[in-house]
Amino acid sequence: MDRERLFALLERFARGELAREELAEAIAVAPFVELGDARVDTQRALRVGFPEVVLGTGKSVDQIVRIARALAAAGQNTLVTRVTPDAAAALRTELPEFEYLAPARLAVLRQQPIALIGRGPIAVVSAGTADSPVAEEAACVAELFGNKVERVYDVGVAGLHRLLASLETLRRATVLIAVAGMEGALASVVGGLVAAPVIAVPTSVGYGVSLGGVAALLAMMNSCASNVTVVNIDNGFGAAYVASLINRA
Amino acid sequence: MDRERLFALLERFARGELAREELAEAIAVAPFVELGDARVDTQRALRVGFPEVVLGTGKSVDQIVRIARALAAAGQNTLVTRVTPDAAAALRTELPEFEYLAPARLAVLRQQPIALIGRGPIAVVSAGTADSPVAEEAACVAELFGNKVERVYDVGVAGLHRLLASLETLRRATVLIAVAGMEGALASVVGGLVAAPVIAVPTSVGYGVSLGGVAALLAMMNSCASNVTVVNIDNGFGAAYVASLINRA
Amino acid sequence: MDRERLFALLERFARGELAREELAEAIAVAPFVELGDARVDTQRALRVGFPEVVLGTGKSVDQIVRIARALAAAGQNTLVTRVTPDAAAALRTELPEFEYLAPARLAVLRQQPIALIGRGPIAVVSAGTADSPVAEEAACVAELFGNKVERVYDVGVAGLHRLLASLETLRRATVLIAVAGMEGALASVVGGLVAAPVIAVPTSVGYGVSLGGVAALLAMMNSCASNVTVVNIDNGFGAAYVASLINRA
Amino acid sequence: MDRERLFALLERFARGELAREELAEAIAVAPFVELGDARVDTQRALRVGFPEVVLGTGKSVDQIVRIARALAAAGQNTLVTRVTPDAAAALRTELPEFEYLAPARLAVLRQQPIALIGRGPIAVVSAGTADSPVAEEAACVAELFGNKVERVYDVGVAGLHRLLASLETLRRATVLIAVAGMEGALASVVGGLVAAPVIAVPTSVGYGVSLGGVAALLAMMNSCASNVTVVNIDNGFGAAYVASLINRA
Amino acid sequence: MDRERLFALLERFARGELAREELAEAIAVAPFVELGDARVDTQRALRVGFPEVVLGTGKSVDQIVRIARALAAAGQNTLVTRVTPDAAAALRTELPEFEYLAPARLAVLRQQPIALIGRGPIAVVSAGTADSPVAEEAACVAELFGNKVERVYDVGVAGLHRLLASLETLRRATVLIAVAGMEGALASVVGGLVAAPVIAVPTSVGYGVSLGGVAALLAMMNSCASNVTVVNIDNGFGAAYVASLINRA
Amino acid sequence: MDRERLFALLERFARGELAREELAEAIAVAPFVELGDARVDTQRALRVGFPEVVLGTGKSVDQIVRIARALAAAGQNTLVTRVTPDAAAALRTELPEFEYLAPARLAVLRQQPIALIGRGPIAVVSAGTADSPVAEEAACVAELFGNKVERVYDVGVAGLHRLLASLETLRRATVLIAVAGMEGALASVVGGLVAAPVIAVPTSVGYGVSLGGVAALLAMMNSCASNVTVVNIDNGFGAAYVASLINRA
Amino acid sequence: MDRERLFALLERFARGELAREELAEAIAVAPFVELGDARVDTQRALRVGFPEVVLGTGKSVDQIVRIARALAAAGQNTLVTRVTPDAAAALRTELPEFEYLAPARLAVLRQQPIALIGRGPIAVVSAGTADSPVAEEAACVAELFGNKVERVYDVGVAGLHRLLASLETLRRATVLIAVAGMEGALASVVGGLVAAPVIAVPTSVGYGVSLGGVAALLAMMNSCASNVTVVNIDNGFGAAYVASLINRA
Amino acid sequence: MDRERLFALLERFARGELAREELAEAIAVAPFVELGDARVDTQRALRVGFPEVVLGTGKSVDQIVRIARALAAAGQNTLVTRVTPDAAAALRTELPEFEYLAPARLAVLRQQPIALIGRGPIAVVSAGTADSPVAEEAACVAELFGNKVERVYDVGVAGLHRLLASLETLRRATVLIAVAGMEGALASVVGGLVAAPVIAVPTSVGYGVSLGGVAALLAMMNSCASNVTVVNIDNGFGAAYVASLINRA
């Protein structure tokens, strides 16, 4: 339950459309739903402003379905990340109301309208074409969390003219997400070009001593640009989450 | 030169206290001062809101002095981080107007008043007593950048009651900085307790397979709390810098 | 042969139900059965209180079947761990008396009754839904070794209220097993909440710099809670084994 | 405050030797003492049975002295680990009542008698002469926590006859602590010889690819003996702590 | 061409069974056969006593066949290691005279009789059942190189009685090969029990922080037994090769 | 567009064969073509002398096709590296004018004649048969960039006579590319035999602690031959690119 | 002996200034001078164009002096790298004709004039002030080997305007050396701006997960700019050596 | 006690020079001498042919003195390795009969004559001047164990002519020890040149990604020469020990 829904309930109660008992019941649900192997946090939106999101990796389809159903039953928008096409098909067999955003590997159920709550646009900047699944995860999640998103893709630092062609877009953003594999240098260069905070997302794109993204992560952790912080490899969701928090201020 | 100083110059010009030529001279200095082995960025405050800060590690005292002098000459507040007591003494012999904040290992020259510009307090939370140099670096830098800071120290997760005793302070903060070595679990626990962004700073405190802070860094990168981003080991300055950016929004 | 079985033989001999020669034969079997590529330790229960357990990983199905058969022939309860569904099917074709506990990936043959020998309950606490196969391995093995087990699942530290809701269960336990991937912080938090020993099991759950469980393992090794010891990644069996030893005291 | 001391207070109150207000005052002290950079947990003994212990590594002597003084003021036995000879001298200048156990690098203040509370002896087994500081830390801490300790030193696996000469001692122990650097094989061999739990302590003894103890730690984590759990490199204290918990059952 | 074959040619020439030109032709072949992507060393047996052996890993089946054919054409015994069952089938379609030793993953063509040339038996000792493919590679190669081999399998150090049961066999060997994954302790224990050189072969058997055999390799490199040297993970062939060299002295 | 093509356009314009507007149009195309998830750099040949090359790894076939089409449309020779046989088939369905060089895993479209521009031959030297895909990538790319190439394959350092048999070829080269996996020693030995620059390419050939090519890379980085520089594991393309730059001087 | 010196000897012989025996003696010295623990390569200049250079690290001062004396005695320019101030003082006590270039940590004996042999300038570009010792090593060695050098220092990518201010200098260079610690992004950005080969030198500048330069090295190995090759951390000498080879073409 | 000494005792007894009781006393000493923190193995020579050797690293001078005294008292030759000059001075104050071999960092007490027992010479081959302490440790230990030693130093693979100049020496050896840091390629090249076993000793010589010898160790483990086995970094003693065993056959 998020604050909007709580306020709506309270107003309906004030207008006499909801009995005292019904209100109590709606509020008094436990702060989590016990599923045996999962305790689903159905009131996170109320506490932190965004509903709980299900990380699809490492869970069986059955587990995903049960958790998604519990979250969906709480009446809020529901998001599952890292959903493979096969898992998406299985999920939609059980819960056909879910939509699958293939380039971003997201399964989404929109039950509430999404209002624009950000102070300004979030720019998602990516280094190469192969980084686009992670960049799209970040961009779509940021949009689902109520932000305007500007995509600036395939602007790796070995071709600075491609990046500088979008300089105005970068400078307009209130927060930036820099997505890059291989040497991960994009975060530092973008960080030096703007005054806003930059959230760096290393990706597992590369080969050899890219070490599955560790090289990019190390580069980003060592950035000489002071406005850069870092999230885990391929964690487009986490970057979008924090960017939304910052943009909401 | 920061915006305040530029505005002051413009006003003095408007009031006839400054000749056209003087104004041009003050503005027209190059965007960096060439020192041979350093190009000092004297106009960063104008561009990004905070002046350039000198990282003391890896530079000779002579280099630090020359750079600090160039920055100080630009009339702005000047900050040098990671200054050992010996380096501080040597620096102050050359530049006695610098103050040394020993617990935070910072050398500071305050030439301009510091106005409170943050939307709310920044909480600096640390896990153990041995983390205090890094925590103090973060706290002092945040204060020098115009933020109110709340210190919550020695609240490692193995004694949750010590942390929960400060829960109200944590929840009041607009941004939090979580400083921890060893297993670095503090970031996740703090992240779960608040809705604001948390910047995690792993420290090199520990022994054995703390691996000089790598264990804490890995833990923080893998945080199951989505509002956590991470900076380099012992990088209290970087955390404070980003926290200030976020708090200024 | 375990002590119970030895005592039973001795009693049968005392009652004249067993000839001297038969008794000698039953006792005099070699301390291991030579299978060429395996020396099966059929008398471990007699020596250390629990029978030898077969680690399924890395062995061919044929090897597993031959070893399991040798152990089963010694008349004791027999346990094979890390059995994939395919291996389980193949095993049960040869040895249909084995039962397959799918969520725990265990194949079990119960030939002797299991008596409750623990001083108190063992609590198995896990951080996320994806950790449940390891947690179930620990829980089922502990039960097969004669312990009462309390399961507290999906209580990762980013949602402390979910963990604290089970605080009484944790405090009642004589030993605890903390199962977590990603940042592995659960072990330290649980360790700080109880006075009993905590055996930490890192899991390979996570992505990016979880490094297949290494991040969680490092966090657990660096725990600031002094009552925590650690076993190998995903080693639910080992944790249950040691917990049983401690609980038997 | 530990339970013994609490009971004593209650009895003195019952006998009229202590006023109600004095009792309340003694009990009502906060669960920690706030020192600014430390929150000293003065009631841990009451909660978990052993008082808080100060890890000397990474703290300044001034910090150690202030924390030790706060703990000592609570009237309990006080222990500081990893105290270098220099730090010990400085500590004893401030707090001359502390005793320094040089081979174990421990500073101790004994204010309460130590009762033998263990069910049986704890055996501390070490592989080489160079491991003795860590072994002594474990042995002395175990003694200070009320256990009988048997020392079996310099019995590395390359000379099995030296280890087997002490087999009876090993088998008599209720818990064992195996301390080894280099290849760390001692833990597995000892684990195979006894039925009791073995806590393995890798040490930083070695050179080359001992990697400061990481090789030994990895070996111990991979032990084929199921009764082995592991603590951090050189963590003799932690091993003794857990061994005491197990032995107290 | 090995020395035996050369001597045979020379004798046939001496007896007039071979023309001078034929002898020259047989001897004068280049020291390698150029295949474009391979330079096959057909005279290695003449130089170092054993013919070149083909490492099957990383080569296409077509490459293996062409190289094996070139070696076979030189009239010597030919050995290909690391041959998967599929590759073996393909190889034998082209070269049906090759025999496949499945447990050792070896393809062999025996064209010359194998004489026993070793001074004494080589003992191949392995820790667990899952190590047997590597142990068999070592044992079979040693046999093909003219040694008597004693197999002592599944004698991991956690069950010392299984190892000590074969002590006489170990002590009789002129060289030993110790094959172990997981913690790799077998090498040190065997090394301490015998006076002969021990060649340690870490295997990739294990999980978690066995790190694909790195843990065992590190343990073996750090062995406190001075008679131990180490070869690469799973390199049963290399161990047998060196053992044969030593045994031939 | 490369310089040759630009000159041709200018000459046609000078001869009146091209209208002013047509010339402007041909020149004025943007420095990159925006494809959404890719910004294709169609004028790189003009800037740096070689056209942009598409790295096939990590991109979907659809992405490869779209980028290759955009590059091909610019009228220049087009190269895609790391093309699996399946991807090649799919690519050629869409763009049948592309040729597939299977041993080098390259897809090529030759639209412009290739002139020999190198000062001398480039020698591509490889250690083993399994290194040939990487060596062929280097050799074919160097040829496509206008160099004469000498192949010296399967000359690993354990058989120096095979390498020394090609010494004259090595010494004739103006640049050398040394391709090796396993211990990567070839780079140092070749480096010591010639005076020309050597570009070392570690390969992922090997097993165990070859660590996927990291061992070879480390060896090459530590080469005691001063004329060696290194590129990423398996990066035959990069080595050929730099070798071409050097050879063009 | 280098070619110039050999030609001079031959001319003197031709002019009758040198007896046949003297010429033979001068030429016939062994290709190395045996010093017991060193075999000094006094004719490398003749073979590869540059004399042997002594790496100062890891050698005792006595060893350095003996080797330097042997090289100097061959009449050529002599260079020792990585000379600490203390070692320099000791060296100059023995060999006062050596000059010490402190910022580059080089000891040099100039016995022959240095002619400019490069085709164009070599640009040495460095990221930060702390990188200057490595950059100076590269720059001075390149000058001693007969190249014109352009220094562009402290132009890290977080302040692109500082780098772009020197763009013309970068583009004029025939070879570039990019020196950077921390995230090492400078190599990719410089590589993208020029068409010439770039030799990247990671430095050990940084802290935390810079891992002593490993982070920068990994970034450079993964550069998305194809004209970048890499040498070992802090290896300014090696970069200058290869740059000289390329520039000499 | 070694066999020679035992035989001498027996002969003296046979000649009536020794009483039965004296003989019993001499033989019946325990297989180790208990020193509290050390169990000194005084009969190793009897069991394995060489007396126990004391590794000086990690032990206090006091411990070294006590152990050395116990070994010396057994009447055999006594060897301490890795003795720093300071430790040597302290040792010789207590035990002036010890001799210090500074270049090999060995302290030696010769009480028994050393007979040549090797079948042929052991060649110790080293790559660079900085490797000489490790090479000397190997060479001197091999001599003390009764072998003829040939030293071939500073013959790194980047100057093959230096190595090939000693080819006859290499081929004459019955065992070879190859000592190299940096890229460690010497082991493979030497391995390819001879038919005898080669024991490779990586050294910690190097900088940057030599990683303290790990790069050399990895190269040696991956050697494509099959006659190479490896010992720990800088372990000259271990190499000499095994070489002596092999040479004694």
Side-chain angles (χ1 to χ4, degrees), chain B residues 156-160 163-164 182-185 188-189 191-193 206-211 214-226, chain C residues 156-160 163-164 182-185 188-189 191-193 206-211 214-226:
Chain B
V157 301
L160 271 189
L163 177 63
L164 296 177
M182 302 177 76
E183 84 270 64
S188 293
V189 172
L193 292 171
Y207 63 91
V209 281
S210 83
L211 302 175
V214 169
L217 184 144
L218 291 175
M220 288 164 169
M221 298 299 306
N222 285 290
S223 177
C224 51
S226 303
Chain C
V157 300
L160 271 188
L163 177 62
L164 297 178
M182 301 176 75
E183 83 270 63
S188 293
V189 172
L193 291 172
Y207 63 91
V209 281
S210 83
L211 302 174
V214 169
L217 184 144
L218 291 176
M220 288 164 168
M221 299 299 305
N222 284 289
S223 177
C224 52
S226 302

Side-chain angles (χ1 to χ4, degrees), chain G residues 1-10 26 73-76 112:
Chain G
M1 189 188 318
D2 60 17
R3 284 169 199 274
E4 292 309 313
R5 191 150 179 263
L6 178 59
F7 293 162
L9 286 173
L10 293 177
Q76 58 200 4
Q112 307 290 333

Side-chain angles (χ1 to χ4, degrees), chain H residues 27-220:
Chain H
I27 292 177
V29 295
F32 55 83
V33 177
E34 176 69 62
L35 298 181
D37 56 357
R39 293 188 166 180
V40 184
D41 189 346
T42 45
Q43 298 192 357
R44 185 172 296 190
L46 196 55
R47 288 203 320 279
V48 305
F50 299 113
E52 183 170 11
V53 171
V54 186
L55 172 63
T57 301
K59 297 198 182 71
S60 68
V61 170
D62 170 65
Q63 290 174 325
I64 292 173
V65 166
R66 283 187 291 122
I67 297 172
R69 187 171 282 148
L71 285 166
Q76 58 200 4
N77 292 335
T78 303
L79 182 56
V80 190
T81 64
R82 305 287 178 91
V83 184
T84 61
D86 285 356
L91 175 71
R92 299 190 58 202
T93 303
E94 294 289 323
L95 300 166
E97 61 274 29
F98 270 75
E99 175 188 358
Y100 184 52
L101 309 180
R105 297 170 303 182
L106 295 171
V108 191
L109 171 64
R110 303 182 208 236
Q111 303 194 88
Q112 307 289 335
I114 296 170
L116 264 194
I117 59 171
R119 286 178 294 115
I122 293 175
V124 178
V125 191
S126 78
T129 302
D131 297 314
S132 58
V134 177
E136 274 302 294
E137 182 181 288
C140 292
V141 168
E143 287 172 340
L144 291 166
F145 280 0
N147 302 283
K148 180 172 189 313
V149 171
E150 305 264 18
R151 287 163 172 82
V152 183
Y153 287 178
D154 196 24
V155 292
V157 300
L160 271 188
H161 63 292
R162 295 184 297 186
L163 177 62
L164 297 177
S166 298
L167 189 52
E168 281 321 297
T169 306
L170 302 184
R171 292 215 162 126
R172 222 172 20 234
T174 43
V175 199
L176 298 98
I177 296 173
V179 179
M182 300 177 76
E183 83 271 64
L186 185 66
S188 293
V189 172
V190 167
L193 292 172
V194 302
V198 176
I199 300 168
V201 189
T203 73
S204 52
V205 167
Y207 63 91
V209 282
S210 81
L211 302 175
V214 169
L217 184 144
L218 291 175
M220 289 164 169

Side-chain angles (χ1 to χ4, degrees), chain F residues 8 18-19 25 31 45 47 72 79 83 87-88 103 153 163 179 222:
Chain F
L18 197 72
E25 180 64 22
R47 287 203 321 278
L79 182 56
V83 184
Y153 287 178
L163 176 64
V179 179
N222 284 290

Side-chain angles (χ1 to χ4, degrees), chain D residues 158 183 185 188 192 209-210 219 222-224, chain E residues 158 183 185 188 192 209-210 219 222 224:
Chain D
E183 83 272 64
S188 293
V209 282
S210 82
N222 285 290
S223 176
C224 52
Chain E
E183 83 271 64
S188 293
V209 282
S210 81
N222 285 290
C224 52

Side-chain angles (χ1 to χ4, degrees), chain B residues 138-221:
Chain B
C140 293
V141 168
E143 287 172 341
L144 290 166
F145 281 0
N147 302 283
K148 180 171 189 314
V149 170
E150 305 264 18
R151 288 164 171 82
V152 183
Y153 287 179
D154 196 24
V155 292
V157 301
L160 271 189
H161 63 293
R162 296 184 296 187
L163 177 63
L164 296 177
S166 299
L167 189 53
E168 283 318 298
T169 305
L170 302 183
R171 292 214 162 127
R172 227 175 12 237
T174 42
V175 199
L176 298 98
I177 296 173
V179 179
M182 302 177 76
E183 84 270 64
L186 185 66
S188 293
V189 172
V190 167
L193 292 171
V194 302
V198 176
I199 300 168
V201 189
T203 72
S204 52
V205 167
Y207 63 91
V209 281
S210 83
L211 302 175
V214 169
L217 184 144
L218 291 175
M220 288 164 169
M221 298 299 306

Side-chain angles (χ1 to χ4, degrees), chain B residues 47-152:
Chain B
R47 287 202 322 279
V48 305
F50 299 112
E52 182 169 11
V53 171
V54 186
L55 172 62
T57 302
K59 297 197 182 70
S60 68
V61 170
D62 169 65
Q63 289 173 325
I64 292 174
V65 166
R66 283 188 291 120
I67 297 172
R69 187 171 281 147
L71 285 167
Q76 59 200 3
N77 291 336
T78 304
L79 182 56
V80 190
T81 64
R82 306 286 177 91
V83 184
T84 61
D86 285 357
L91 174 71
R92 295 188 63 200
T93 303
E94 293 289 323
L95 298 166
E97 61 275 29
F98 269 74
E99 176 188 355
Y100 184 50
L101 309 180
R105 298 172 300 185
L106 295 171
V108 191
L109 171 63
R110 301 183 211 235
Q111 304 194 87
Q112 306 290 333
I114 296 170
L116 266 194
I117 59 170
R119 284 179 297 113
I122 293 174
V124 178
V125 191
S126 78
T129 301
D131 298 313
S132 58
V134 177
E136 275 301 294
E137 181 181 288
C140 293
V141 168
E143 287 172 341
L144 290 166
F145 281 0
N147 302 283
K148 180 171 189 314
V149 170
E150 305 264 18
R151 288 164 171 82
V152 183

